[in-house]
Amino acid sequence: VALIVFYLILGCFLDGFSMIVMTLPIVLPIVKAAGFDPIWFGIFIVLVVEMAQITPPVGFNLFVLQGMTGHQLPYLARVSLPMFFLMVGAVLMIWFVPELVTWLPAQMKL
């Protein structure tokens, strides 16, 4: 939960690539030491960074949508809210059922 909040706050100010490059060298050893699967963490971080990309005031994906559609940012933030909640649901699903993420890679180890 702390990582989700941390990345959502960072997403208000940075783009996704910068968030990952700046934080992964610090966060990944902590996650490995806590016993989380690195593949699971990779999927988790992608979902959380994408959630952060649509959080106002500096959600970069909102700026892309503004350029494409010409709508104002408050409108785009409001209509992207259902997608945000879908991503929250996906994060909760992989949190409570991590086998959703690790099943296919486990099958490829044969």
Side-chain angles (χ1 to χ4, degrees), residues 7 17-31 41:
Y7 279 108
F17 185 72
S18 298
M19 283 191 291
I20 291 173
V21 168
M22 287 175 36
T23 61
L24 204 59
I26 298 165
V27 174
L28 187 60
I30 296 169
V31 167
F41 180 68

Side-chain angles (χ1 to χ4, degrees), residues 1 5 20 27 32 39 45 52 59 79 84-85 90 102 108:
V1 173
V5 172
I20 291 173
V27 174
K32 282 184 178 179
I39 295 173
I45 203 76
V79 298
F84 178 82
F85 287 125
T102 57
M108 297 173 77

Side-chain angles (χ1 to χ4, degrees), residues 76-91:
L76 292 171
R78 190 173 58 250
V79 298
S80 67
L81 199 58
M83 184 58 74
F84 178 82
F85 287 125
L86 284 173
M87 286 189 268
V88 168
V91 168

Side-chain angles (χ1 to χ4, degrees), residues 11 14-16 19 48-55 59-62:
L14 296 172
D15 66 306
M19 283 191 291
V48 172
V49 166
E50 288 304 315
M51 282 176 20
Q53 292 296 297
I54 60 173
T55 56
F60 285 101
N61 287 353
L62 295 179

